[in-house]
RNA sequence: GGAGAAAUGGCAGAGCGGUUGAAUGCACCGGUCUUGAAAACCGGCAUACCGAGAGGUAUCGGGGGUUCGAAUCCCUCUUUCUCCGCCA
């Protein structure tokens, strides 16, 4: 949610910035400012009324105490009109606030200057491509065939027990998962992130805090009985740890990592996009989250990008980095770098990480602030990134490192999985 | 799941339906004193919003109600604690 003060002061820049997302927000922004103005005048009116009725009440107190009952009763009658007025104004203020919230919630974050404009993924900017396509002198198999051939993943069993998109990992396939998780967590720790195991279900407030709610209910599994949501990413619980928090000074840099399964309903997907590990309803991911001073958030973003690069390089994968265009940018993000690995047998790029800076957009909803030197509270910046999402990494590892009779395990993983090849 | 008790500022802990945004202690910050420190003394010390400012409004777990007036009374929800039940 954008800060209202920012909208008041930089209306035109916001409208201009949002054009990069392919939306013309002029009318919405202006409507917000009108509502804001109305809210302020109504609030001020209400407070004047409250002030005078508070005053009278105090006087009544004194009158009763000094035994002037008659005068007190007379004063009581005076308040009736004020009360009625207060009632009406209070309701108006409430309605305006509701309206305001609704409007603000529906406005996405403003992209940073470097974000290219564009409407679809075709307009994303390739920032860097690292590694080379693997060449095979035999018929390379897609990972679902490799998984079956080597008994690593059982998709059909998942369908039987749960449904499509919930595979079983078995034997070396399961060990590979566990090894990757541990490897990623260890690397995050080396980079200064402290590990956390959060709850896998969250309440509505948390969903709102990070921006999954309202609007994107459909993406999350909702446990209606208890009104809880299965997390679509560890970002939700990890960032919400700091909901309603005021950090005591400006000298902070919070770095958290966490492994969790992630649950996504992904309604509406079909075809080769969802084949094998390409898109699952439940998958594992190690997430890194940062809470930074506004002056330090860009540097943090760069650090996170480098962290992910290092992970992908260490696994010997061919990958590229995209700077998402305005149209492809998530609702809450000001800038996002996507990492895609090349899947040699499917011959397509698979997204394995997404690193984003939200500036104050989430912090505003979260009420996540710090105390500045002048004792004023200010909103923090939040960031997060996948480091990394497992299934597509596994897909790429299997496909890119396959041989005619097995799969080579990257050296860095060998100590984690306990074998050199599958 | 059942029965009971509780929820007040960073912490501890008062609080009568009426000048209580809230006593007191601790912590913290500033000052005096001191060569320096401690002690002692003095002062400050919640959050949000509106306002150029003076100032105002709201907030004592959340929501609602009674009342001219609620931290204080009522209803409801949540959470915590104690006891019972169930359980990896």
């Amino acid at each position: 949610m954008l800060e209202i003060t920012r909208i008041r002061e930089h209306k035109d820049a916001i409208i201009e910035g949002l054009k990069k997302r392919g939306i013309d927000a002029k009318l919405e922004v202006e409507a917000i400012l009108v509502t804001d103005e109305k809210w302020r005048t109504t609030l001020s009116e209400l407070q004047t009324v409250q002030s005078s009725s508070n005053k009278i009440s105090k006087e009544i107190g004194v009158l009763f105490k000094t035994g002037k009952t008659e005068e007190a009763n007379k004063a009581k009658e005076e308040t009736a009109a004020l009360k009625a007025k207060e009632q009406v104004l209070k309701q108006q203020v409430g309605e305006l606030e509701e309206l305001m919230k609704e409007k603000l919630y529906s406005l996405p974050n403003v992209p940073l200057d470097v974000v290219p404009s564009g409407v679809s993924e075709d307009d994303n900017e390739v920032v860097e491509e690292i590694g080379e396509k693997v060449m095979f002198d035999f018929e390379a198999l897609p990972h679902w065939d490799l998984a079956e051939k080597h008994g690593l993943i059982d998709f059909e069993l998942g369908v039987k027990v749960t449904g499509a998109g919930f595979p079983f990992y078995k034997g070396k396939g399961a060990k590979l998962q566990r090894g990757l998780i541990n490897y990623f967590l260890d690397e995050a720790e080396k980079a200064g992130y402290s590990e956390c195991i959060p709850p896998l279900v969250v309440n509505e407030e948390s969903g709102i805090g990070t921006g999954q709610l309202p609007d994107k209910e459909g993406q999350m599994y909702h446990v209606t009985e208890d009104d809880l949501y299965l997390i679509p990413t560890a970002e939700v619980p990890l960032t919400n740890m700091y909901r309603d928090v005021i950090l005591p000074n400006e000298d902070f840099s919070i770095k958290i990592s966490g492994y969790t399964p992630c649950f996504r309903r992904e309604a509406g997907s079909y075809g080769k996009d969802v084949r094998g590990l390409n898109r699952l309803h439940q998958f594992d991911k190690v997430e890194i989250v940062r809470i930074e001073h506004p002056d330090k958030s860009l540097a943090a973003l760069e650090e996170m990008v480098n962290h992910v690069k290092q992970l992908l390089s260490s696994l010997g994968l061919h990958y590229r980095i995209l700077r998402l265009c305005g149209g492809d940018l998530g609702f809450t993000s000001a800038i996002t770098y996507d990492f895609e690995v090349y899947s040699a047998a499917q011959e397509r790029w698979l997204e394995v990480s997404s690193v984003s800076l939200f500036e104050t957009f989430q912090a505003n909803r979260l009420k996540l602030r710090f105390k500045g030197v002048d004792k004023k509270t200010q909103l923090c910046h939040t960031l997060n990134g996948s480091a990394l999402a497992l299934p597509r990494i596994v897909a790429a590892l299997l496909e890119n490192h396959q041989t005619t009779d097995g799969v080579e395990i990257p050296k860095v993983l060998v100590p984690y999985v306990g074998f050199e090849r599958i």
Side-chain angles (χ1 to χ4, degrees):
Chain A
M1 175 163 71
L2 293 172
E3 293 152 87
I4 185 65
T5 47
R6 179 172 169 198
I7 299 177
R8 281 182 208 144
E9 286 160 26
H10 306 287
K11 172 185 133 186
D12 295 329
I14 287 171
I15 294 169
E16 204 49 44
L18 286 175
K19 280 189 186 155
K20 279 200 222 171
R21 288 181 177 269
I23 59 174
D24 182 2
K26 192 163 189 285
L27 295 178
E28 283 87 339
V29 169
E30 273 163 7
I32 285 172
L33 289 174
V34 169
T35 310
D36 178 51
E37 192 57 46
K38 207 164 159 193
W39 170 73
R40 279 194 286 175
T41 51
T42 315
L43 180 65
S44 157
E45 242 177 282
L46 170 66
Q47 293 185 343
T48 311
V49 173
Q50 282 174 323
S51 177
S52 38
S53 80
N54 281 348
K55 212 159 121 198
I56 294 175
S57 290
K58 275 186 184 168
E59 282 164 14
I60 292 175
V62 175
L63 290 174
F64 271 123
K65 256 198 173 151
T66 51
K68 296 176 184 159
T69 319
E70 228 166 89
E71 279 177 60
N73 283 327
K74 214 163 139 198
K76 266 196 205 182
E77 283 163 31
E78 260 180 68
T79 58
L82 283 174
K83 285 280 283 183
K85 207 165 160 193
E86 185 181 337
Q87 207 64 34
V88 173
L89 288 168
K90 215 173 185 171
Q91 204 190 327
Q92 281 176 8
V93 169
E95 281 167 8
L96 286 167
E97 277 170 0
E98 214 37 58
L99 186 64
M100 195 68 181
K101 211 155 78 178
E102 208 176 286
K103 285 178 188 291
L104 284 173
Y105 275 162
S106 65
L107 211 58
N109 204 354
V110 180
L112 296 189
D113 285 345
V114 292
V115 172
S117 53
V119 289
S120 74
E121 54 186 77
D122 299 330
D123 301 314
N124 292 337
E125 186 183 321
V126 179
V127 183
E128 206 177 347
E129 183 170 335
I130 291 154
E132 283 168 20
K133 272 183 197 165
V134 185
M135 293 307 206
F136 298 102
D137 50 11
F138 56 91
E139 173 99 10
L141 295 174
H143 69 269
W144 48 87
D145 287 341
L146 291 165
E148 195 188 340
K149 182 173 162 191
H150 301 297
L152 304 174
I153 303 168
D154 196 328
F155 292 100
E156 278 164 34
L157 192 56
V159 170
K160 171 183 150 186
V161 173
T162 305
F166 293 93
F168 276 77
Y169 300 86
K170 294 171 148 183
K172 284 184 171 173
K175 289 194 83 169
L176 181 58
Q177 290 289 119
R178 187 150 59 90
L180 281 166
I181 292 164
N182 285 334
Y183 172 58
F184 294 152
L185 284 172
D186 283 354
E187 291 302 303
E189 188 176 8
K190 279 185 210 162
Y193 294 85
S194 52
E195 189 174 335
C196 184
I197 300 177
L200 304 182
V201 289
V202 294
N203 58 30
E204 188 187 5
E205 277 180 291
S206 295
I208 290 172
T210 33
Q212 281 70 27
L213 296 174
D215 288 350
K216 275 163 280 178
E217 283 94 339
Q219 193 199 66
M220 289 191 286
Y221 287 95
H222 187 190
V223 184
T224 49
E225 181 90 24
D226 301 291
D227 201 16
L228 295 170
Y229 295 86
L230 269 66
I231 58 170
T233 158
E235 163 197 353
V236 181
L238 293 182
T239 311
N240 272 281
M241 287 166 78
Y242 286 86
R243 173 150 49 80
D244 284 317
V245 166
I246 298 175
L247 300 165
N249 56 55
E250 344 194 78
D251 186 26
F252 63 92
S253 174
I254 293 165
K255 303 167 77 173
I256 314 161
S257 67
Y259 151 70
T260 67
C262 300
F263 303 91
R264 298 192 183 174
R265 295 188 61 235
E266 305 282 15
S269 304
Y270 60 91
K272 63 180 188 307
D273 274 358
V274 299
R275 189 87 194 264
L277 294 171
N278 289 350
R279 180 164 297 182
L280 300 172
H281 287 306
Q282 179 186 327
F283 63 95
D284 295 299
K285 180 159 65 67
V286 171
E287 185 79 359
I288 49 178
V289 166
R290 297 178 69 144
I291 294 162
E292 297 287 346
H293 188 284
D295 294 345
K296 292 189 285 190
S297 60
L298 274 175
L301 179 70
E302 201 181 316
E303 252 181 65
M304 292 167 83
V305 165
N306 286 329
H307 181 75
V308 174
K309 277 170 80 170
Q310 206 182 311
L311 290 179
L312 291 170
S313 295
S314 74
L315 294 174
L317 293 171
H318 170 210
Y319 65 96
R320 64 179 187 180
I321 305 172
L322 305 176
R323 187 185 283 135
L324 295 193
C325 72
D328 210 21
L329 205 59
F331 186 81
T332 52
S333 178
I335 181 167
T336 295
Y337 289 99
D338 268 11
F339 288 72
E340 297 183 334
V341 295
Y342 194 72
S343 178
Q346 295 183 71
E347 295 183 342
R348 56 193 293 237
W349 294 97
L350 298 175
E351 184 193 329
V352 289
S353 175
S354 190
V355 178
S356 303
L357 165 60
F358 306 97
E359 296 201 305
T360 58
F361 197 87
Q362 288 183 329
N364 192 208
R365 290 187 176 196
L366 293 161
K367 294 201 179 68
L368 164 53
R369 294 159 294 179
F370 66 94
K371 259 201 168 81
V373 271
D374 53 357
K375 289 276 182 188
K376 280 243 158 87
T377 52
Q378 252 188 86
L379 292 170
C380 302
H381 279 192
T382 58
L383 304 97
N384 68 48
S386 355
L388 292 162
L390 288 244
R392 293 177 190 159
I393 290 288
V394 170
L397 285 177
L398 295 180
E399 293 186 18
N400 292 20
H401 298 331
Q402 64 182 301
T403 61
T404 45
D405 60 347
V407 178
E408 300 287 346
I409 298 295
K411 273 207 176 60
V412 289
L413 284 182
V414 172
Y416 285 95
V417 297
F419 45 86
E420 287 174 16
R421 49 186 293 118
I422 289 169

mmCIF file of all heavy atoms in Angstrom, chain A residues 25-59:
data_model
loop_
_atom_site.group_PDB
_atom_site.id
_atom_site.type_symbol
_atom_site.label_atom_id
_atom_site.label_comp_id
_atom_site.label_asym_id
_atom_site.label_seq_id
_atom_site.Cartn_x
_atom_site.Cartn_y
_atom_site.Cartn_z
ATOM 1 N N ALA A 25 -3.581 5.366 -13.910
ATOM 2 C CA ALA A 25 -4.154 5.459 -12.576
ATOM 3 C C ALA A 25 -4.611 6.870 -12.228
ATOM 4 O O ALA A 25 -4.949 7.150 -11.084
ATOM 5 C CB ALA A 25 -3.140 4.965 -11.549
ATOM 6 N N LYS A 26 -4.628 7.712 -13.220
ATOM 7 C CA LYS A 26 -4.935 9.122 -12.969
ATOM 8 C C LYS A 26 -6.235 9.291 -12.183
ATOM 9 O O LYS A 26 -6.267 9.963 -11.151
ATOM 10 C CB LYS A 26 -5.030 9.862 -14.305
ATOM 11 C CG LYS A 26 -5.057 11.366 -14.174
ATOM 12 C CD LYS A 26 -4.738 12.038 -15.501
ATOM 13 C CE LYS A 26 -4.553 13.541 -15.347
ATOM 14 N NZ LYS A 26 -5.784 14.294 -15.167
ATOM 15 N N LEU A 27 -7.301 8.668 -12.679
ATOM 16 C CA LEU A 27 -8.605 8.825 -12.035
ATOM 17 C C LEU A 27 -8.594 8.269 -10.617
ATOM 18 O O LEU A 27 -9.089 8.900 -9.687
ATOM 19 C CB LEU A 27 -9.693 8.153 -12.872
ATOM 20 C CG LEU A 27 -9.929 8.786 -14.244
ATOM 21 C CD1 LEU A 27 -10.985 8.017 -15.029
ATOM 22 C CD2 LEU A 27 -10.363 10.249 -14.081
ATOM 23 N N GLU A 28 -7.982 7.092 -10.467
ATOM 24 C CA GLU A 28 -7.946 6.469 -9.138
ATOM 25 C C GLU A 28 -7.187 7.349 -8.154
ATOM 26 O O GLU A 28 -7.631 7.558 -7.029
ATOM 27 C CB GLU A 28 -7.256 5.091 -9.201
ATOM 28 C CG GLU A 28 -8.110 3.978 -9.770
ATOM 29 C CD GLU A 28 -8.010 3.900 -11.295
ATOM 30 O OE1 GLU A 28 -7.610 4.918 -11.923
ATOM 31 O OE2 GLU A 28 -8.341 2.846 -11.850
ATOM 32 N N VAL A 29 -6.042 7.839 -8.600
ATOM 33 C CA VAL A 29 -5.221 8.652 -7.713
ATOM 34 C C VAL A 29 -5.960 9.931 -7.325
ATOM 35 O O VAL A 29 -5.977 10.329 -6.155
ATOM 36 C CB VAL A 29 -3.862 8.982 -8.382
ATOM 37 C CG1 VAL A 29 -3.126 10.041 -7.592
ATOM 38 C CG2 VAL A 29 -3.017 7.720 -8.489
ATOM 39 N N GLU A 30 -6.607 10.526 -8.309
ATOM 40 C CA GLU A 30 -7.343 11.741 -7.997
ATOM 41 C C GLU A 30 -8.510 11.471 -7.053
ATOM 42 O O GLU A 30 -8.791 12.253 -6.140
ATOM 43 C CB GLU A 30 -7.812 12.421 -9.283
ATOM 44 C CG GLU A 30 -6.719 13.358 -9.800
ATOM 45 C CD GLU A 30 -6.880 13.772 -11.236
ATOM 46 O OE1 GLU A 30 -7.916 13.455 -11.844
ATOM 47 O OE2 GLU A 30 -5.951 14.435 -11.739
ATOM 48 N N ALA A 31 -9.151 10.337 -7.267
ATOM 49 C CA ALA A 31 -10.265 9.970 -6.386
ATOM 50 C C ALA A 31 -9.756 9.770 -4.960
ATOM 51 O O ALA A 31 -10.414 10.143 -3.982
ATOM 52 C CB ALA A 31 -10.936 8.698 -6.890
ATOM 53 N N ILE A 32 -8.557 9.214 -4.845
ATOM 54 C CA ILE A 32 -7.974 9.007 -3.524
ATOM 55 C C ILE A 32 -7.745 10.347 -2.835
ATOM 56 O O ILE A 32 -8.068 10.523 -1.659
ATOM 57 C CB ILE A 32 -6.643 8.212 -3.633
ATOM 58 C CG1 ILE A 32 -6.954 6.742 -3.920
ATOM 59 C CG2 ILE A 32 -5.835 8.329 -2.343
ATOM 60 C CD1 ILE A 32 -5.741 5.906 -4.234
ATOM 61 N N LEU A 33 -7.224 11.300 -3.592
ATOM 62 C CA LEU A 33 -6.932 12.605 -3.008
ATOM 63 C C LEU A 33 -8.212 13.338 -2.595
ATOM 64 O O LEU A 33 -8.245 14.000 -1.552
ATOM 65 C CB LEU A 33 -6.106 13.444 -3.984
ATOM 66 C CG LEU A 33 -4.668 12.945 -4.139
ATOM 67 C CD1 LEU A 33 -3.941 13.722 -5.218
ATOM 68 C CD2 LEU A 33 -3.907 13.043 -2.814
ATOM 69 N N VAL A 34 -9.254 13.182 -3.384
ATOM 70 C CA VAL A 34 -10.541 13.784 -3.025
ATOM 71 C C VAL A 34 -11.064 13.173 -1.726
ATOM 72 O O VAL A 34 -11.475 13.878 -0.801
ATOM 73 C CB VAL A 34 -11.575 13.587 -4.163
ATOM 74 C CG1 VAL A 34 -12.970 13.964 -3.696
ATOM 75 C CG2 VAL A 34 -11.168 14.414 -5.373
ATOM 76 N N THR A 35 -11.001 11.847 -1.668
ATOM 77 C CA THR A 35 -11.453 11.149 -0.464
ATOM 78 C C THR A 35 -10.616 11.569 0.743
ATOM 79 O O THR A 35 -11.143 11.785 1.834
ATOM 80 C CB THR A 35 -11.335 9.615 -0.648
ATOM 81 O OG1 THR A 35 -11.950 9.261 -1.879
ATOM 82 C CG2 THR A 35 -12.011 8.878 0.489
ATOM 83 N N ASP A 36 -9.338 11.687 0.520
ATOM 84 C CA ASP A 36 -8.419 12.072 1.587
ATOM 85 C C ASP A 36 -8.779 13.459 2.127
ATOM 86 O O ASP A 36 -8.842 13.666 3.350
ATOM 87 C CB ASP A 36 -6.987 12.066 1.037
ATOM 88 C CG ASP A 36 -5.964 12.511 2.072
ATOM 89 O OD1 ASP A 36 -5.990 11.962 3.191
ATOM 90 O OD2 ASP A 36 -5.153 13.400 1.773
ATOM 91 N N GLU A 37 -9.023 14.369 1.223
ATOM 92 C CA GLU A 37 -9.370 15.734 1.605
ATOM 93 C C GLU A 37 -10.661 15.731 2.430
ATOM 94 O O GLU A 37 -10.753 16.345 3.498
ATOM 95 C CB GLU A 37 -9.559 16.552 0.315
ATOM 96 C CG GLU A 37 -9.641 18.052 0.519
ATOM 97 C CD GLU A 37 -8.428 18.606 1.232
ATOM 98 O OE1 GLU A 37 -7.302 18.236 0.862
ATOM 99 O OE2 GLU A 37 -8.617 19.402 2.178
ATOM 100 N N LYS A 38 -11.616 14.985 1.939
ATOM 101 C CA LYS A 38 -12.925 14.907 2.585
ATOM 102 C C LYS A 38 -12.765 14.278 3.961
ATOM 103 O O LYS A 38 -13.376 14.713 4.935
ATOM 104 C CB LYS A 38 -13.834 14.043 1.708
ATOM 105 C CG LYS A 38 -15.305 14.366 1.861
ATOM 106 C CD LYS A 38 -16.053 13.752 0.702
ATOM 107 C CE LYS A 38 -17.514 13.584 1.008
ATOM 108 N NZ LYS A 38 -18.182 12.717 0.014
ATOM 109 N N TRP A 39 -11.942 13.272 4.011
ATOM 110 C CA TRP A 39 -11.709 12.587 5.273
ATOM 111 C C TRP A 39 -11.125 13.550 6.296
ATOM 112 O O TRP A 39 -11.557 13.613 7.441
ATOM 113 C CB TRP A 39 -10.768 11.400 5.053
ATOM 114 C CG TRP A 39 -10.277 10.781 6.314
ATOM 115 C CD1 TRP A 39 -11.009 10.007 7.175
ATOM 116 C CD2 TRP A 39 -8.971 10.896 6.876
ATOM 117 N NE1 TRP A 39 -10.237 9.630 8.234
ATOM 118 C CE2 TRP A 39 -8.984 10.160 8.085
ATOM 119 C CE3 TRP A 39 -7.800 11.537 6.491
ATOM 120 C CZ2 TRP A 39 -7.857 10.059 8.907
ATOM 121 C CZ3 TRP A 39 -6.688 11.422 7.295
ATOM 122 C CH2 TRP A 39 -6.719 10.706 8.485
ATOM 123 N N ARG A 40 -10.146 14.336 5.852
ATOM 124 C CA ARG A 40 -9.483 15.236 6.786
ATOM 125 C C ARG A 40 -10.429 16.304 7.320
ATOM 126 O O ARG A 40 -10.416 16.605 8.516
ATOM 127 C CB ARG A 40 -8.264 15.872 6.117
ATOM 128 C CG ARG A 40 -7.086 14.921 6.147
ATOM 129 C CD ARG A 40 -5.806 15.613 5.826
ATOM 130 N NE ARG A 40 -5.713 15.914 4.396
ATOM 131 C CZ ARG A 40 -4.713 16.615 3.869
ATOM 132 N NH1 ARG A 40 -3.768 17.083 4.624
ATOM 133 N NH2 ARG A 40 -4.676 16.829 2.573
ATOM 134 N N THR A 41 -11.236 16.873 6.447
ATOM 135 C CA THR A 41 -12.146 17.913 6.934
ATOM 136 C C THR A 41 -13.198 17.311 7.862
ATOM 137 O O THR A 41 -13.524 17.887 8.900
ATOM 138 C CB THR A 41 -12.843 18.648 5.774
ATOM 139 O OG1 THR A 41 -13.408 17.682 4.900
ATOM 140 C CG2 THR A 41 -11.881 19.526 5.006
ATOM 141 N N THR A 42 -13.714 16.130 7.492
ATOM 142 C CA THR A 42 -14.726 15.504 8.331
ATOM 143 C C THR A 42 -14.137 15.132 9.682
ATOM 144 O O THR A 42 -14.774 15.318 10.726
ATOM 145 C CB THR A 42 -15.290 14.239 7.647
ATOM 146 O OG1 THR A 42 -15.562 14.536 6.286
ATOM 147 C CG2 THR A 42 -16.567 13.786 8.331
ATOM 148 N N LEU A 43 -12.910 14.623 9.651
ATOM 149 C CA LEU A 43 -12.264 14.227 10.898
ATOM 150 C C LEU A 43 -12.077 15.438 11.807
ATOM 151 O O LEU A 43 -12.343 15.384 13.015
ATOM 152 C CB LEU A 43 -10.902 13.585 10.608
ATOM 153 C CG LEU A 43 -10.120 13.118 11.833
ATOM 154 C CD1 LEU A 43 -10.862 11.983 12.521
ATOM 155 C CD2 LEU A 43 -8.719 12.663 11.455
ATOM 156 N N SER A 44 -11.635 16.502 11.206
ATOM 157 C CA SER A 44 -11.411 17.711 11.973
ATOM 158 C C SER A 44 -12.711 18.211 12.603
ATOM 159 O O SER A 44 -12.754 18.608 13.769
ATOM 160 C CB SER A 44 -10.783 18.742 11.035
ATOM 161 O OG SER A 44 -11.007 20.016 11.499
ATOM 162 N N GLU A 45 -13.801 18.124 11.837
ATOM 163 C CA GLU A 45 -15.119 18.488 12.364
ATOM 164 C C GLU A 45 -15.493 17.602 13.550
ATOM 165 O O GLU A 45 -15.933 18.089 14.596
ATOM 166 C CB GLU A 45 -16.154 18.275 11.253
ATOM 167 C CG GLU A 45 -16.903 19.526 10.808
ATOM 168 C CD GLU A 45 -17.843 19.176 9.664
ATOM 169 O OE1 GLU A 45 -17.365 19.027 8.519
ATOM 170 O OE2 GLU A 45 -19.041 19.003 9.930
ATOM 171 N N LEU A 46 -15.306 16.325 13.337
ATOM 172 C CA LEU A 46 -15.642 15.371 14.388
ATOM 173 C C LEU A 46 -14.877 15.678 15.668
ATOM 174 O O LEU A 46 -15.422 15.663 16.771
ATOM 175 C CB LEU A 46 -15.327 13.943 13.926
ATOM 176 C CG LEU A 46 -15.388 12.847 14.988
ATOM 177 C CD1 LEU A 46 -16.808 12.654 15.500
ATOM 178 C CD2 LEU A 46 -14.867 11.520 14.451
ATOM 179 N N GLN A 47 -13.596 15.997 15.486
ATOM 180 C CA GLN A 47 -12.766 16.215 16.669
ATOM 181 C C GLN A 47 -13.165 17.483 17.414
ATOM 182 O O GLN A 47 -13.060 17.544 18.632
ATOM 183 C CB GLN A 47 -11.297 16.239 16.263
ATOM 184 C CG GLN A 47 -10.845 14.868 15.778
ATOM 185 C CD GLN A 47 -9.372 14.788 15.485
ATOM 186 O OE1 GLN A 47 -8.700 15.793 15.329
ATOM 187 N NE2 GLN A 47 -8.864 13.566 15.400
ATOM 188 N N THR A 48 -13.631 18.459 16.675
ATOM 189 C CA THR A 48 -14.118 19.673 17.321
ATOM 190 C C THR A 48 -15.328 19.352 18.190
ATOM 191 O O THR A 48 -15.424 19.790 19.346
ATOM 192 C CB THR A 48 -14.523 20.709 16.256
ATOM 193 O OG1 THR A 48 -13.467 20.829 15.323
ATOM 194 C CG2 THR A 48 -14.825 22.040 16.885
ATOM 195 N N VAL A 49 -16.246 18.571 17.621
ATOM 196 C CA VAL A 49 -17.446 18.184 18.375
ATOM 197 C C VAL A 49 -17.058 17.381 19.607
ATOM 198 O O VAL A 49 -17.548 17.626 20.712
ATOM 199 C CB VAL A 49 -18.402 17.361 17.478
ATOM 200 C CG1 VAL A 49 -19.559 16.816 18.294
ATOM 201 C CG2 VAL A 49 -18.903 18.216 16.339
ATOM 202 N N GLN A 50 -16.144 16.446 19.410
ATOM 203 C CA GLN A 50 -15.714 15.611 20.532
ATOM 204 C C GLN A 50 -15.081 16.462 21.620
ATOM 205 O O GLN A 50 -15.309 16.256 22.807
ATOM 206 C CB GLN A 50 -14.705 14.555 20.048
ATOM 207 C CG GLN A 50 -15.367 13.395 19.353
ATOM 208 C CD GLN A 50 -14.356 12.432 18.760
ATOM 209 O OE1 GLN A 50 -13.310 12.836 18.258
ATOM 210 N NE2 GLN A 50 -14.671 11.151 18.798
ATOM 211 N N SER A 51 -14.308 17.420 21.169
ATOM 212 C CA SER A 51 -13.631 18.276 22.123
ATOM 213 C C SER A 51 -14.624 19.016 23.005
ATOM 214 O O SER A 51 -14.478 19.061 24.235
ATOM 215 C CB SER A 51 -12.756 19.259 21.367
ATOM 216 O OG SER A 51 -12.143 20.142 22.257
ATOM 217 N N SER A 52 -15.673 19.593 22.366
ATOM 218 C CA SER A 52 -16.611 20.345 23.197
ATOM 219 C C SER A 52 -17.443 19.428 24.084
ATOM 220 O O SER A 52 -17.771 19.776 25.222
ATOM 221 C CB SER A 52 -17.492 21.262 22.348
ATOM 222 O OG SER A 52 -17.844 20.649 21.150
ATOM 223 N N SER A 53 -17.787 18.235 23.601
ATOM 224 C CA SER A 53 -18.573 17.368 24.478
ATOM 225 C C SER A 53 -17.719 16.808 25.609
ATOM 226 O O SER A 53 -18.210 16.597 26.726
ATOM 227 C CB SER A 53 -19.294 16.281 23.679
ATOM 228 O OG SER A 53 -18.440 15.229 23.365
ATOM 229 N N ASN A 54 -16.426 16.607 25.341
ATOM 230 C CA ASN A 54 -15.526 16.207 26.423
ATOM 231 C C ASN A 54 -15.466 17.281 27.503
ATOM 232 O O ASN A 54 -15.451 16.983 28.703
ATOM 233 C CB ASN A 54 -14.114 15.969 25.885
ATOM 234 C CG ASN A 54 -13.977 14.625 25.204
ATOM 235 O OD1 ASN A 54 -14.863 13.778 25.319
ATOM 236 N ND2 ASN A 54 -12.897 14.433 24.483
ATOM 237 N N LYS A 55 -15.427 18.493 27.049
ATOM 238 C CA LYS A 55 -15.327 19.619 27.970
ATOM 239 C C LYS A 55 -16.568 19.683 28.872
ATOM 240 O O LYS A 55 -16.457 19.828 30.094
ATOM 241 C CB LYS A 55 -15.178 20.920 27.163
ATOM 242 C CG LYS A 55 -14.353 21.959 27.849
ATOM 243 C CD LYS A 55 -13.832 22.965 26.834
ATOM 244 C CE LYS A 55 -14.302 24.370 27.151
ATOM 245 N NZ LYS A 55 -14.167 25.270 25.989
ATOM 246 N N ILE A 56 -17.732 19.577 28.240
ATOM 247 C CA ILE A 56 -18.977 19.634 29.000
ATOM 248 C C ILE A 56 -19.042 18.490 30.010
ATOM 249 O O ILE A 56 -19.431 18.686 31.163
ATOM 250 C CB ILE A 56 -20.190 19.587 28.054
ATOM 251 C CG1 ILE A 56 -20.202 20.866 27.194
ATOM 252 C CG2 ILE A 56 -21.492 19.481 28.835
ATOM 253 C CD1 ILE A 56 -21.282 20.894 26.146
ATOM 254 N N SER A 57 -18.644 17.322 29.583
ATOM 255 C CA SER A 57 -18.676 16.178 30.501
ATOM 256 C C SER A 57 -17.833 16.434 31.733
ATOM 257 O O SER A 57 -18.204 16.076 32.848
ATOM 258 C CB SER A 57 -18.157 14.935 29.792
ATOM 259 O OG SER A 57 -19.078 14.516 28.834
ATOM 260 N N LYS A 58 -16.696 17.050 31.512
ATOM 261 C CA LYS A 58 -15.827 17.347 32.648
ATOM 262 C C LYS A 58 -16.489 18.344 33.573
ATOM 263 O O LYS A 58 -16.425 18.219 34.805
ATOM 264 C CB LYS A 58 -14.485 17.892 32.150
ATOM 265 C CG LYS A 58 -13.530 16.768 31.800
ATOM 266 C CD LYS A 58 -12.152 17.270 31.435
ATOM 267 C CE LYS A 58 -11.277 16.085 30.993
ATOM 268 N NZ LYS A 58 -10.031 16.515 30.365
ATOM 269 N N GLU A 59 -17.132 19.304 32.981
ATOM 270 C CA GLU A 59 -17.836 20.303 33.787
ATOM 271 C C GLU A 59 -18.946 19.664 34.602
ATOM 272 O O GLU A 59 -19.144 19.972 35.768
ATOM 273 C CB GLU A 59 -18.417 21.389 32.871
ATOM 274 C CG GLU A 59 -17.365 22.398 32.405
ATOM 275 C CD GLU A 59 -17.830 23.230 31.228
ATOM 276 O OE1 GLU A 59 -19.066 23.217 30.946
ATOM 277 O OE2 GLU A 59 -16.992 23.871 30.590
#
